[in-house]
Amino acid sequence: MKLASTPRIEFLRELATEILGVYGLGRTVVAIDGTDAAERAAFADDLAAVFDEREHPVFSASLRDFRRSRAEQERFGPESPERLLRHLYDFSLLRRVLLDPFRLGSSTGFVTRAFDADRDAWIQPTWLTGPSDATLILDGEYLNRKELRDVWSYSVLVETEADAVRFGPGGAEDTGTVTEHEVADRLYRGEVRPRSRATAIVDVSNPADPRRVFLDSC
């Protein structure tokens, strides 16, 4: 289906052209990293729509659907920024049932949802297959961590205006108004430096008109 041409859609079309120009054949996995869950998910959904517009087979998934249960998380101690960063998600499960089988291609089955975080319950798996040339777009936080770096064909770091406030000098962490999740985000940024790991950094401070950010201007 032809999408309405807007600055956002045109930006995403250019990004899709870049990705498909290098990774148009075989199985491709695109990571959409970022701290703002809503903006990150919206960006991933819209990018998938652009791939679909081109009639390129595309699958979507969210890291949210690969969380550990609350009971599992508690095995790693009381809730803390460290626990959120290290143990909120089951990266081993993510690789085992989605990323690794998707990359194998052929008729290998994969699962795009494994856990319902709202119900704190496992989801009955629905095994999918796809054509030999297909793209998986996965959105989530902490995606440029070392356990996953070798999986991504291409990764996008989505940043908002709030990120500059929260993580820049004099940000929220310096005011005493910080949440545990914000501290976990800062730990991640300090440890992983996702800006240096991502293939593309995209500023969505104005969601209707995203812009590419290059490291020499960071």
Side-chain angles (χ1 to χ4, degrees):
M1 182 181 71
K2 184 71 173 177
L3 301 171
S5 292
T6 64
R8 181 180 176 93
I9 293 300
E10 289 302 324
F11 177 91
L12 290 165
R13 284 173 176 154
E14 291 180 7
L15 187 63
T17 295
E18 179 180 330
I19 296 170
L20 291 174
V22 180
Y23 303 106
L25 299 177
R27 292 290 181 87
T28 301
V29 186
V30 177
I32 310 297
D33 193 3
T35 58
D36 188 305
E39 292 293 349
R40 184 183 65 224
F43 190 91
D45 287 345
D46 288 349
L47 181 60
V50 168
F51 274 77
D52 191 55
E53 178 187 50
R54 296 190 175 198
E55 299 184 349
H56 179 85
V58 62
F59 297 86
S60 297
S62 175
L63 186 61
R64 172 180 169 79
D65 297 320
F66 292 88
R67 281 194 182 191
R68 298 182 190 273
S69 68
R70 284 192 284 269
E72 282 186 284
Q73 292 177 53
E74 288 170 359
R75 290 173 40 224
F76 297 98
E79 184 171 333
S80 67
E82 187 79 14
R83 195 186 86 176
L84 287 171
L85 176 60
R86 312 284 178 206
H87 306 297
L88 178 60
Y89 300 104
D90 191 335
F91 295 107
S92 176
L93 174 68
L94 175 71
R95 292 198 65 143
R96 188 170 67 252
V97 304
L98 175 56
L99 299 178
D100 291 343
F102 179 84
R103 293 170 73 207
L104 282 174
S106 185
S107 59
T108 306
F110 53 90
V111 173
T112 56
R113 298 186 69 223
F115 190 77
D116 186 327
D118 294 329
R119 295 191 302 113
D120 193 38
W122 295 101
I123 297 170
Q124 182 68 29
T126 299
W127 294 92
L128 305 173
T129 59
S132 57
D133 298 332
T135 298
L136 169 66
I137 298 176
L138 174 76
D139 83 272
E141 55 193 345
Y142 315 144
L143 290 185
N144 280 290
R145 59 194 301 135
K146 63 181 179 180
E147 298 98 319
L148 299 174
R149 285 176 199 157
D150 65 316
V151 179
W152 315 131
S153 307
Y154 193 102
S155 65
V156 179
L157 179 64
V158 174
E159 296 189 330
T160 66
E161 187 175 7
D163 289 326
V165 174
R166 291 168 61 194
F167 301 113
E173 280 69 17
D174 299 322
T175 68
T177 61
V178 61
T179 67
E180 287 189 335
H181 215 122
E182 287 170 336
V183 175
D185 290 338
R186 174 157 288 218
L187 287 173
Y188 169 66
R189 286 179 175 246
E191 178 179 305
V192 174
R193 301 193 180 280
R195 278 190 149 206
S196 67
R197 299 287 180 183
T199 314
I201 304 168
V202 177
D203 182 353
V204 294
S205 297
N206 178 1
D209 189 13
R211 66 181 183 89
R212 189 82 169 259
V213 177
F214 295 95
L215 286 177
D216 60 4
S217 63
C218 295

